Amino acid sequence: NNPVIVRRGAKIRPHFAHKTMLSCGGGESLVHRSTKEWIAANVGSADFRIVSRCSDCKTLFTSYRGDKGLRGETEVAFGHGRQFVVDAVATDVTGKARAAFEVYFTHATSTEKMRQLQVITGACAWEVRAMDLLKEGYPMTLQNCRPAKCRPCLRSSLEWKRNKRRLSGEIAARKFGLRWKKSVENIRKTFEVKWAKRWIF
């Protein structure tokens, strides 16, 4: 009746091990390891989801939902020359990464790493806090600790940027038009002066 944890490695098939008997290698804490194993085990479940708080309207929204066509892996190497390792990844049947998950325990993931993960997964990279799963009751809903925007806010910000770009374009065209008009008027005046002088003399 002691608490157990999932162990999932490259050499031995996934299995359960008692927390007291588990020796975590590489200085990785038990809480960190168990959280990423829990994520990898549940990405194929429709009940599993990641919620985020919108940075604009402050509402809580579902930013990721599990899919039965996905399977989870831990400690996956990514980047040019495999320069960084991701805590947990959801891959499809072809082996393509559909979502990446980082577990925040002692320090946050670097901005550069998260930016690259966003590019690789098509803006589907999340960072969640490490937790004691036994105390939390093995939750199927985890909260993203990175800033995110809900769809309405994202749509309105994109629309605002588009309108701003269009307005700046119109202002530039108007300025160019006024400059062009002024230069045309100057040319016409000089031509009229020349024409008048020719007729006078």
Side-chain angles (χ1 to χ4, degrees):
N1 294 322
N2 289 327
V4 293
I5 191 74
V6 178
R7 295 186 83 174
R8 187 194 306 260
K11 294 181 181 178
I12 303 169
R13 67 182 177 178
H15 62 283
F16 292 99
H18 285 279
K19 279 189 175 184
T20 52
M21 296 168 67
L22 183 68
S23 59
C24 292
E28 193 175 63
S29 74
L30 184 64
V31 175
H32 182 268
R33 186 172 183 137
S34 61
T35 306
K36 71 182 182 184
E37 289 292 345
W38 178 250
I39 292 168
N42 288 296
V43 290
S45 170
D47 297 329
F48 179 76
R49 63 193 189 116
I50 304 273
V51 293
S52 302
R53 185 153 312 270
C54 181
S55 56
D56 287 356
C57 65
K58 307 299 182 209
T59 56
L60 208 62
F61 67 98
T62 301
S63 50
Y64 174 81
R65 190 176 290 279
D67 185 13
K68 62 182 179 181
L70 300 174
R71 67 183 181 86
E73 293 177 39
T74 57
E75 298 297 312
V76 180
F78 271 117
H80 299 294
R82 310 280 190 212
Q83 80 243 23
F84 58 86
V85 177
V86 183
D87 287 333
V89 174
T91 56
D92 58 13
V93 288
T94 62
K96 187 178 179 185
R98 293 294 177 188
F101 308 92
E102 281 292 316
V103 179
Y104 184 115
F105 185 59
T106 53
H107 58 277
T109 310
S110 68
T111 310
E112 182 57 35
K113 183 178 179 181
M114 285 305 288
R115 192 180 293 123
Q116 287 193 33
L117 287 175
Q118 293 281 1
V119 170
I120 291 165
T121 59
C124 199
W126 318 107
E127 186 169 21
V128 296
R129 292 194 183 278
M131 64 183 76
D132 188 343
L133 296 170
L134 195 64
K135 281 183 182 174
E136 297 290 332
Y138 295 92
M140 291 298 279
T141 302
L142 305 175
Q143 186 162 351
N144 176 35
C145 52
R146 286 259 168 186
K149 284 187 180 183
C150 62
R151 280 189 180 176
C153 291
L154 189 64
R155 200 177 294 123
S156 66
S157 68
L158 286 172
E159 215 165 283
W160 180 79
K161 282 179 185 173
R162 201 177 293 123
N163 287 342
K164 187 180 175 185
R165 199 180 302 120
R166 186 175 52 78
L167 187 65
S168 63
E170 283 179 8
I171 290 167
R174 203 173 292 129
K175 281 181 183 175
F176 176 75
L178 290 171
R179 276 199 310 254
W180 180 78
K181 188 180 177 185
K182 200 175 278 185
S183 64
V184 167
E185 282 176 356
N186 289 340
I187 290 166
R188 200 182 72 215
K189 276 180 186 173
T190 54
F191 175 75
E192 283 175 357
V193 167
K194 278 184 183 177
W195 188 80
K197 280 179 180 175
R198 194 179 300 141
W199 274 98
I200 288 166
F201 297 112

